Amino acid sequence: MQPAPTTNDRYDFKTIEQRWQRRWEEEKTWKVSHRSDQPKYYVLEMFPYPSGRIHMGHVRNYSIGDVIARYKRMQGFNVLHPMGWDAFGLPAENAAMKRGIHPAAWTYDNIDYMRGQLKAMGLSYDWDRELATCRPDYYRWEQQLFLKMLAKGLIYRKETTVNWCNDCQTVLAREQVIDGACWRCDQPVLPKTMYGWFFKITGYAEELLADLDTLTGWPEKVVTMQRNWIGKSTGLACDFRIEDSDQAIAIFTTRPDTIFGVTFMSLAVEHPLIDTLVQGKPQEEAVRAFVRDTVLAKQRASLDQELDKRGVFTGSYCLNPFTGERVPIYVANFVLMEYGTGAVMAVPAHDQRDFEFARAYGLPIRVVVQPEGEPLDPAAMTEASEGPGVLVNSGPFTGMDSTEAKQAIIVEAERQRFGSAHVTYRLRDWGISRQRYWGAPIPVIHCDHCGIVPVPEADLPILLPGAGEPTGSHSPLHQQPDFIATTCPSCGRPARRETDTLDTFVESSWYFARYTSPGLDSAPIDRKAAAYWLPVDQYIGGVEHAILHLLYARFFTKMLRDLGYLEVDEPFTNLLTQGMVIKDGAKMSKSKGNVVDPNELIEQYGADTVRLFSLFAAPPERDLEWNAQGVDGAFRFLNRVYRMVVSQRACFDQPATVDLDALNAPSRALHRKTHQTIRRVTESIESNFHFNTAISGIMELVNLVAAPVDEPVDDAVLREALETILTLLFPMAPHFCEELWQVTGHERALNDAAWPVFNAEAAKEDEITIVVQVNGKVRTKLQVAADTDEHTLRRLAVAEEKVAKMLAGQEPKKIIVVPGKLVNIVV
RNA sequence: GCGAGAGUGGUGAAAUUGGUAGACGCACUGGACUUAGGAUCCAGCGGGCCAGCCCCAUGGGGGUUCGAGUCCCCCCUCUCGCACCA
C-alpha cells in the first residue's frame, strides 16, 4: 500500500515507471503471433536511423503509435507493433572517419543506447521482432530478393552521367551537390559517366499511379505529391526526318494540335544526334562551344534557378511530317535530356518557353490555335497563348476544336506511320548504386568471360568486409582488393566482385514485411505470416517521406507480390503524417540550438507526462509548438488524478454496480458524464486519432469528480468514474494508470482490460438547455426535459418574457425548431 | 508558375460538420492556506458602453440561409511540395 500523499507530494514516477517497465520486459507482454483467432491490427511507426539519441520528433511519432497499439489491443485486436533500425547510411561512415572507429561499432552503440531510451518511454513493442538493416541476417535476404528481381528483369545496369567528387571518390546524390561543389569537401563536382544498377520502377508507373485511387486512408496531400512525381503525360510521339539524311529526330508532345505551328526544333545539349548534325558545318565550332558552356553552366546553377533561354543554330534542318516544311534545328539550354526524347518541336505561338526563345533569336511565330475573342497577332503577342481554341493554318484540321484535334492528329500520324499515341512519365528508374562502404553489397560478380554473373543463392550473404571486427577496414569496397578478388561461379576463372552497395532506401522498402517473420532463416518473408499481418493497417511518420520512401515501399510491395511473397497490392492502408515539433517558431535542430532533450524531460517529469503532453498539445497531423509550461500542466494533471484516486480509494471496496434508481442528482450527473466521456474519447480516437480532444474529455470528467457537491456521490458511481478515467487514460499514460489500477486493488493488469463501452441510456441527458433565438441571435435559454416535443418548445419559447417583449404583440413570421437544440423566432 | 494545406483570444487549440464561438490546457489577475510558494485550492480571464443573456468579434469583401468559423464567389497572407516535364 502506498502511504497517503500529502499535498506537497508528487507521485513517484521514477519508481513506478521502472517497476512496470521491468514487468513488461520480463513477461514479454506484447509478444504476438500470427496464429490467433483475433482480428489482426498492424500499427507501424517509421523506423529510426540510429543517429545517437532520440529526439522529440521520435517521441511524438512513437507516442502516437503506442496509443493506437494499446487502444487496439483493448478493443480486442491481435496487435503487431514492432520496432527496428534503419541502420545503413552515410552518417555512420562520417562518424567513423571523425572518431577513428568502425561504422558498425558506432551504429550498434547507438542502437543500444536508443533502444534503452525507447524502453524508458514505456512503448509497447514486441521487441522479439526487432531488426537492424545492417545485420547480415537482414541484408542477406535483401541480397536474395535482389537476385530474384534481377532474374525477373526488374533490375538492370546501365551507364549514366553522375555527380562525382574526386576527393571523396564517390557519387553524390543531387541533394549533396551545393552550388556545384561537394557538400563535404567543397571541391567542384564533376560529371562522370559510369555504370550503375537500377530498379525498373517505371515498369510499375501505371499501377503506382492507378492504385493511388485506392489509398483512401492516406492524406490527400501525399497522394497528390506522388501523382505529380509520377507525372503522367499523354500525347504524340513522332519523327521529324533530318533533311538529306536517313535519320530522324524523335519528339514527344502533349500538344499535337499545334504541330502545324512548328517553326524550329530544339535539342538538349546532351542529345546524341548533335555530333552528326554539326559535322563539317560552318556552325560546328559554335555549337560545340555552346554545348560545353551550357553543361558547365547547368552544373553551377543552383537547382531552383531558371536560366535565360539561350541556344545556337546547328546549320541543319528537319522536316515537319505533316507539312514537309523545312524546320531549322537548334540546340537549346532549356531542353531536358531526361524527359521525353530530349528534342522538342517548338511552337512559339503556343508555348511560353518557345516563345521566349523565338523572340530572343528572331524566329517566326505562327498562330495555329485561335482562342475565343480577339484574333491573335504574332507581332503583337507578349506571351504565348497556351489555352484551347479553334485550329487555323492547320491544313485539313483547320476549323477543328483544339481538344478534338489532339486526337485527330494522333490518328493521322498513326495512319501515315510517322508517329503514334504515347505516354510519358516524369518518374525515372531508381538508381540504387552507391560507391560507399556502409551499405548492403550488391551480390553479383563480373567475369571477363561470362559477363555479369549473379552470386549463387547458396553463397549468400555477401558479407560487408571488416564489419565483424572493430578495427576492420571500412574503405569503399572498390578500394578493398581482398573483397574484390573472387572466382566466377559460372566458369571458375578469376573474377571481380561488384563493389557498389545498395541505396539505403532499399532496406526501408520491405522492412515492414520482414517484421512479420522475425528471425526466419530460410527465406526473406514467411508467406503465411505476411498474409496474416499485411497490409499495415496504420503507418505513422513524417511527411518528409511522402515521395521517396513511401513510393519505393509501394513499388517493392508490388514486386514482392509478383515474386509470390506477398498477397497485397499496397503496403499501408492508412497513413498518418504527423507534424513537426517546433520550438520558437522553427523545427527543432542542433544548428538552431532549440532542441529539447527527451532524456532530461523523462528524468524530470517521467515518461507518462512527456507522452501525455506531446499528445495533448496539438492534433497529430499538425505541427506541435513545444511549450515547457505545457509539460508542467500535463504533470500537474497526472498528480491531480493521482491524489484524487488515492484519496478516494475507499470506493473501490464497493462493487461497481450502479443502481440507477437509487441515485441522487450529483451521482446521476457523474454517471452520465462518465458515459459521455467514454463516447467522446472513443470517437476522438476512432475518427482521426485526435488525442488532444480525447484528453480534454478525460480532464472534464476529472474536473467533475473533483467538483464540490451538495450531497455525497454514490460509491459505485464514483468507482465507475475513477475506473473509467484510468482505463481511458491508460494508452497515453500506461505506467501511471497501471500503478493506480493496482493500488486500488485490481488483480488483473489494466493492460489486459477491455476498452469500456458506453451505455447510450446512461449518457443521455434528462434535462437539456434549449437556445431561444430571435432572428438568429441568442436571446434566452430554456431548461427543459430532454424529450420535450416541438410544439411545447414553440409554446415555451414564445412565452418567454424577453421574446414577448421583442415581439411587441406581433405574430412571429416563422418559427424554426431544432429538437434538442434551439428555437429560432423570425420577426 | 503549378499543386496541396492553413488563417479563430495573450497563447496551444475546441466547436457533435449549418445551430449558444472560444471546450480543455498554458499564461495572466485576484483571493484562501502557508515561515515560504515555482505546491495545492477557490474565483476571474476575446473586445467595447463593462449597466444587462446590449453591441462588436473566427484574415478581408460580397453572397446563400431563419441562422455561417463551417457552404458559394472574389481578394490578402503564411506554410509545404514540385518546378524550363515539351
Side-chain angles (χ1 to χ4, degrees):
Chain A
M1 273 296 180
Q2 304 288 305
T6 69
T7 49
N8 275 348
D9 269 350
R10 309 304 198 80
Y11 85 96
D12 183 4
F13 56 83
K14 215 166 267 183
T15 310
I16 291 172
E17 292 182 359
Q18 279 171 9
R19 178 185 315 144
W20 288 101
Q21 284 165 16
R22 201 177 319 121
R23 176 149 161 200
W24 293 331
E25 176 123 24
E26 281 164 5
E27 297 183 355
K28 291 189 186 290
T29 307
W30 302 295
K31 191 172 168 61
V32 285
S33 157
H34 64 275
R35 293 180 189 85
S36 161
D37 298 331
Q38 290 169 288
K40 70 96 183 178
Y41 192 89
Y42 186 176
V43 55
L44 181 65
E45 300 106 61
M46 291 180 184
F47 65 167
Y49 179 77
S51 56
R53 30 181 49 214
I54 63 168
H55 53 66
M56 289 313 303
H58 292 128
V59 167
R60 190 178 189 198
N61 191 187
Y62 308 145
S63 296
I64 293 167
D66 200 50
V67 176
I68 296 173
R70 289 175 181 272
Y71 169 74
K72 289 289 175 183
R73 277 189 208 104
M74 294 173 91
Q75 289 273 21
F77 288 91
N78 185 31
V79 173
L80 175 55
H81 188 214
M83 180 42 76
W85 310 94
D86 188 14
F88 274 137
L90 203 55
E93 284 183 70
N94 292 341
M97 270 187 263
K98 206 162 117 193
R99 299 160 204 225
I101 50 171
H102 196 275
W106 184 82
T107 303
Y108 289 123
D109 280 353
N110 287 349
I111 289 175
D112 287 341
Y113 185 77
M114 291 171 77
R115 186 193 299 110
Q117 289 188 295
L118 296 186
K119 287 191 172 173
M121 280 185 64
L123 301 166
S124 63
Y125 296 122
D126 179 354
W127 283 105
D128 287 355
R129 291 171 188 260
E130 179 185 0
L131 59 79
T133 58
C134 64
R135 287 204 309 242
D137 64 1
Y138 184 83
Y139 70 72
R140 77 160 285 177
W141 300 113
E142 187 162 299
Q143 290 173 337
Q144 181 166 324
L145 291 174
F146 180 97
L147 294 175
K148 302 258 195 234
M149 291 165 181
L150 184 65
K152 217 169 176 237
L154 296 167
I155 297 176
Y156 65 96
R157 191 167 181 260
K158 74 172 175 188
E159 198 173 24
T160 52
T161 307
V162 295
N163 299 308
W164 180 262
C165 176
N166 233 346
D167 279 37
C168 303
Q169 283 291 300
T170 186
V171 166
L172 297 176
R174 244 173 87 158
E175 308 79 55
Q176 294 164 339
V177 182
I178 317 242
D179 293 331
C182 174
W183 66 298
R184 197 159 46 189
C185 64
D186 210 28
Q187 295 303 301
V189 168
L190 308 169
K192 183 170 177 174
T193 310
M194 59 190 300
Y195 278 96
W197 291 94
F198 288 82
F199 273 120
K200 220 168 169 177
I201 190 170
T202 54
Y204 284 84
E206 192 56 47
E207 195 192 342
L208 287 167
L209 184 68
D211 284 355
L212 285 173
D213 292 337
T214 69
L215 299 179
T216 52
W218 282 38
E220 200 181 295
K221 174 184 172 139
V222 176
V223 171
T224 305
M225 281 167 71
Q226 290 214 355
R227 185 170 287 124
N228 293 342
W229 186 261
I230 295 169
K232 181 180 181 175
S233 299
T234 56
L236 170 70
C238 167
D239 285 344
F240 279 56
R241 201 161 57 72
I242 297 169
E243 189 180 51
D244 303 325
S245 157
D246 50 5
Q247 286 183 297
I249 298 173
I251 61 104
F252 169 75
T253 179
T254 55
R255 292 296 304 274
D257 53 316
T258 64
I259 201 162
F260 284 82
V262 173
T263 57
F264 61 99
M265 173 71 68
S266 320
L267 302 184
V269 290
E270 302 89 353
H271 200 284
L273 282 175
I274 291 177
D275 266 341
T276 331
L277 289 170
V278 299
Q279 198 100 54
K281 291 273 179 2
Q283 288 87 351
E284 178 167 353
E285 219 12 77
V287 172
R288 290 194 193 285
F290 177 78
V291 169
R292 251 194 325 273
D293 291 350
T294 306
V295 168
L296 284 175
K298 272 190 178 176
Q299 270 166 11
R300 281 190 221 300
S302 58
L303 292 169
D304 53 356
Q305 177 188 334
E306 223 172 90
L307 299 164
D308 278 343
K309 309 263 174 305
R310 291 184 54 231
V312 61
F313 180 45
T314 59
S316 293
Y317 292 82
C318 58
L319 305 172
N320 185 324
F322 276 86
T323 61
E325 208 174 350
R326 289 176 89 216
V327 178
I329 304 170
Y330 279 73
V331 177
N333 64 345
F334 62 91
V335 179
L336 303 174
M337 192 61 217
E338 314 85 67
Y339 183 79
T341 61
V344 177
M345 66 171 214
V347 187
H350 306 295
D351 181 283
Q352 184 59 25
R353 294 154 301 177
D354 298 343
F355 182 86
E356 287 169 29
F357 192 86
R359 274 285 148 84
Y361 291 93
L363 293 159
I365 295 173
R366 186 189 304 158
V367 171
V368 290
V369 176
Q370 176 58 54
E372 254 182 83
E374 285 287 294
L376 291 173
D377 172 13
M381 287 168 74
T382 55
E383 58 180 10
S385 160
E386 298 186 333
V390 173
L391 264 59
V392 294
N393 296 322
S394 296
F397 303 96
T398 299
M400 196 179 273
D401 176 79
S402 61
T403 316
E404 291 167 45
K406 279 182 189 167
Q407 197 48 42
I409 285 172
I410 291 172
V411 169
E412 180 62 15
E414 285 176 342
R415 196 182 67 77
Q416 295 200 39
R417 295 170 181 283
F418 53 70
S420 60
H422 189 75
V423 177
T424 297
Y425 298 93
R426 210 190 77 106
L427 183 68
R428 285 186 265 150
D429 278 337
W430 173 15
I432 48 172
S433 280
R434 296 291 180 269
Q435 289 68 34
R436 294 176 187 137
Y437 170 79
W438 193 230
I442 292 177
V444 299
I445 289 164
H446 298 272
C447 169
D448 286 339
H449 299 86
C450 310
I452 289 172
V453 183
V455 170
E457 280 187 20
D459 294 352
L460 296 181
I462 301 303
L463 290 173
L464 207 46
E469 58 260 41
T471 54
S473 168
H474 54 269
S475 305
L477 300 181
H478 61 268
Q479 293 170 4
Q480 300 208 37
D482 291 348
F483 174 80
I484 296 170
T486 186
T487 53
C488 173
S490 181
C491 68
R493 279 182 266 215
R496 287 160 284 113
R497 279 195 194 286
E498 171 66 55
T499 55
D500 285 349
T501 51
L502 289 168
D503 181 2
T504 55
F505 276 103
V506 178
E507 283 90 61
S508 55
S509 292
W510 70 286
Y511 77 111
F512 51 89
R514 180 68 184 174
Y515 276 141
T516 67
S517 329
L520 183 67
D521 58 3
S522 56
I525 298 163
D526 176 343
R527 289 175 173 78
K528 271 210 189 103
Y532 175 81
W533 288 116
L534 291 176
V536 173
D537 294 279
Q538 184 65 54
Y539 198 33
I540 309 155
V543 74
E544 65 272 19
H545 297 108
I547 296 177
L548 294 180
H549 163 60
L550 288 169
L551 187 66
Y552 294 151
R554 294 182 59 220
F555 165 55
F556 247 72
T557 300
K558 292 170 191 304
M559 284 202 293
L560 292 172
R561 173 201 63 196
D562 293 345
L563 289 169
Y565 289 104
L566 303 182
E567 297 175 6
V568 294
D569 297 322
E570 287 288 339
F572 314 122
T573 306
N574 295 292
L575 174 68
L576 175 61
T577 49
Q578 109 253 6
M580 293 184 298
V581 180
I582 304 284
K583 187 160 179 279
D584 310 326
K587 180 177 180 172
M588 281 190 187
S589 70
K590 263 187 218 154
S591 58
K592 294 213 182 64
N594 59 352
V595 288
V596 174
D597 185 357
N599 269 29
E600 289 173 20
L601 284 169
I602 291 173
E603 186 67 23
Q604 194 180 346
Y605 296 99
D608 286 324
T609 292
V610 177
R611 294 167 57 121
L612 191 68
F613 174 74
S614 75
L615 294 162
F616 179 61
E621 70 279 1
R622 214 182 298 188
D623 285 348
L624 185 157
E625 173 75 35
W626 191 260
N627 178 348
Q629 281 147 337
V631 182
D632 266 323
F635 187 52
R636 228 165 12 220
F637 171 70
L638 290 181
N639 277 295
R640 193 159 174 238
V641 175
Y642 193 90
R643 285 192 305 270
M644 173 185 284
V645 172
V646 170
S647 65
Q648 313 227 48
R649 68 190 144 171
C651 73
F652 286 87
D653 300 337
Q654 299 291 319
T657 332
V658 176
D659 178 5
L660 265 177
D661 296 333
L663 296 184
N664 57 18
S667 302
R668 222 182 356 256
L670 183 57
H671 181 58
R672 186 186 310 124
K673 184 74 176 175
T674 299
H675 284 268
Q676 288 172 341
T677 304
I678 296 170
R679 177 173 58 195
R680 174 161 169 200
V681 171
T682 308
E683 283 172 359
S684 287
I685 296 176
E686 208 58 55
S687 63
N688 48 17
F689 301 128
H690 278 197
F691 308 115
N692 55 331
T693 53
I695 293 167
S696 73
I698 299 171
M699 286 173 167
E700 282 184 41
L701 180 56
V702 169
N703 289 347
L704 186 62
V705 172
V709 284
D710 305 335
E711 304 170 70
V713 168
D714 180 81
D715 267 353
V717 170
L718 184 57
R719 175 176 176 163
E720 180 192 46
L722 295 177
E723 285 188 340
T724 299
I725 289 167
L726 294 179
T727 314
L728 297 179
L729 198 56
F730 174 70
M732 302 156 201
H735 318 82
F736 174 86
C737 296
E738 197 67 273
E739 177 74 13
L740 284 178
W741 196 250
Q742 193 183 59
V743 165
T744 50
H746 297 82
E747 280 175 15
R748 288 187 55 201
L750 189 47
N751 186 68
D752 300 322
W755 188 255
V757 179
F758 80 92
N759 178 337
E761 203 50 43
K764 213 155 108 189
E765 297 280 359
D766 38 39
E767 192 172 73
I768 53 173
T769 307
I770 296 287
V771 170
V772 179
Q773 298 181 329
V774 176
N775 291 336
K777 289 203 163 150
V778 182
R779 293 301 163 182
T780 185
K781 290 162 192 173
L782 294 170
Q783 284 296 330
V784 298
D787 54 0
T788 310
D789 64 64
E790 196 173 323
H791 181 76
T792 315
L793 283 177
R794 191 183 295 248
R795 194 173 43 78
L796 288 171
V798 177
E800 277 289 306
E801 186 189 343
K802 213 164 166 91
V803 175
K805 209 157 47 173
M806 297 194 73
L807 276 171
Q810 298 171 20
E811 273 303 298
K813 245 195 233 162
K814 197 171 167 189
I815 298 179
I816 291 126
V817 180
V818 183
K821 285 236 170 76
L822 58 76
V823 180
N824 188 13
I825 298 159
V826 187
V827 181

